[in-house]
Amino acid sequence: MIETPPLVDQYCHGVLRTELGLGTFEAQLMRSAGPPAAGTTFFDTQTGFAVRRWCPPLLGLEPHATPARYLARRRELGAAETARRLLRGSGVAAYLVDTGAAGDLTGPKELALAGDAEAFEAVRLELLAEQVADTSGTVGAFLANLAEAVHHAAAGAAAFTCATAFTCADAPALAPEPPGPGEVRGAAGRWLAGRPRGGAVRDPVLLAHLLWSAVAAGLPLQLHTGAADTTALTGFVRATAGLGTRLVLLGGYPDHRRTAQLAADFPHVYADAGAALGRTGARAAVVLAELLELAPFGKVLFSSGGRDLPELHAVGALLFREALGRVLGGWAAEGSWSWRDAERVAAMVAAGNARRVYRLDGP
């Protein structure tokens, strides 16, 4: 049995404060462009089965309770008590919370209170730009206020995060080097003139400006990499080498081997073992083992990627522990590793790497 310390969930969102109906709950289990197949629900997924395996015991039910029984128990307890039990049962000691998601979600302080844990903020760059744009009347004011906002955020947050730079349709056009002042002013002017209030940042020049502003601020920078353009991402990684900013590559499944390889190739790059584990459920140990085949063990960080449902935070954490035990415990049992080394690496991936990267225990 591999022992791990309390986890650091290095990337997640808050949870919904409201009670959820059957359809709303099921829709959160899987991000999909359409409904489930006729005669099925999104409980019929690896994530849905993982929720039924790991979450019912935290609410006083048997494992593998039916969806109807589980949701009835959830309603009986209420949203707040359900979240409290699931978060506290997950074994997480600290959360890094991306506060840029839409919806009536708990913030870092509320999540910390519900989970009896610490919580730190990961500031979403796109949202920061949108907030500044809402209060800036001219291009010059917007750019000056944005620089001040990034500086102010860096003083109180644990990280910056960017969800769209390498995942939106314009990502291939994102140049690896910082854009010039004239380019930035032009892009900002076009965006400010054309955006509806609350419009998202999509312009590749403005996205690049946000990324390089974050790099200059010095905090770790979390980058979503799902379906990312390989050239754009690798170019940015190469361009930021040696500048002192650590890049944490989030997601990327089913291309997780690529993020693991980048973590192996570049000293300032780290790979997330995150939401992929919850998505793959019973196969989570296979995905984790593939990450550990390529990435140095000091470069892999746990996260749940949980959002909206506290079940996703809990499943991410509990599946991670189980998968880590299977993988490292299996290597130790067959004699490839010592048990001491297995527990040392488990502690690194579970919490130690994140505490070091984000300086959670101070300078």
Side-chain angles (χ1 to χ4, degrees), residues 13-17 78-95 97 105-119 308-310 313-314:
H13 298 271
V15 300
L16 289 165
R17 299 184 179 94
E81 178 62 14
T82 295
R84 190 187 72 83
R85 292 191 183 198
L86 291 170
L87 294 173
R88 296 189 180 197
S90 67
V92 172
Y95 297 96
V97 185
L105 304 182
T106 56
K109 290 183 180 179
E110 290 176 89
L111 195 68
L113 183 63
D116 191 23
E118 294 182 282
D308 297 345
L309 301 179
H313 295 71

Side-chain angles (χ1 to χ4, degrees), residues 101-342:
D104 184 25
L105 304 182
T106 56
K109 290 183 180 179
E110 290 176 89
L111 195 68
L113 183 63
D116 191 23
E118 294 182 282
F120 305 88
E121 185 176 7
V123 173
R124 178 79 69 89
L125 291 169
E126 300 96 313
L127 180 62
L128 195 64
E130 291 158 22
Q131 291 170 338
V132 170
D134 288 339
T135 57
S136 300
T138 66
V139 172
F142 167 71
L143 293 175
N145 292 341
L146 181 60
E148 178 60 28
V150 170
H151 176 76
H152 178 75
F160 286 110
T161 186
C162 184
T164 55
F166 299 103
T167 58
C168 71
D170 291 325
L174 194 149
E177 67 277 356
E183 290 181 276
V184 174
R185 287 187 67 87
R190 290 190 300 272
W191 179 62
L192 291 171
R195 72 187 278 270
R197 193 170 183 85
V201 180
R202 297 293 185 193
D203 185 276
V205 173
L206 198 50
L207 286 170
H209 177 65
L210 288 172
L211 291 180
W212 284 100
S213 297
V215 169
L219 288 185
L221 175 56
Q222 301 173 334
L223 299 172
H224 288 252
T225 64
D229 175 74
T230 302
T231 303
L233 178 61
T234 305
F236 181 75
V237 165
R238 185 173 290 111
T240 53
L243 299 182
T245 296
R246 299 172 178 185
L247 306 181
V248 182
L249 306 184
L250 302 172
Y253 182 82
D255 297 321
H256 51 289
R257 285 179 175 271
R258 180 162 53 87
T259 60
Q261 188 62 59
L262 286 170
D265 290 343
F266 294 91
H268 67 307
V269 176
Y270 296 78
D272 172 56
L277 303 188
R279 288 177 59 188
T280 52
R283 297 283 291 172
V286 175
V287 176
L288 183 60
E290 289 176 345
L291 277 171
L292 295 175
E293 286 174 8
L294 295 171
F297 309 133
K299 299 293 226 44
V300 179
L301 287 70
F302 159 73
S303 80
S304 69
R307 172 178 172 175
D308 297 345
L309 301 179
E311 281 83 357
L312 300 182
H313 295 71
V315 160
L318 296 172
L319 264 176
F320 167 76
R321 284 186 185 276
E322 199 263 351
L324 196 66
R326 277 200 209 179
V327 174
L328 302 189
W331 294 343
E334 69 187 22
S336 298
W337 286 28
S338 71
W339 286 100
R340 177 179 297 179
D341 281 338

Side-chain angles (χ1 to χ4, degrees), residues 63-80:
H64 310 295
T66 66
R69 178 74 183 97
Y70 179 77
L71 293 174
R73 177 59 172 162
R74 204 181 192 281
R75 289 191 297 273
E76 179 184 319
L77 292 171

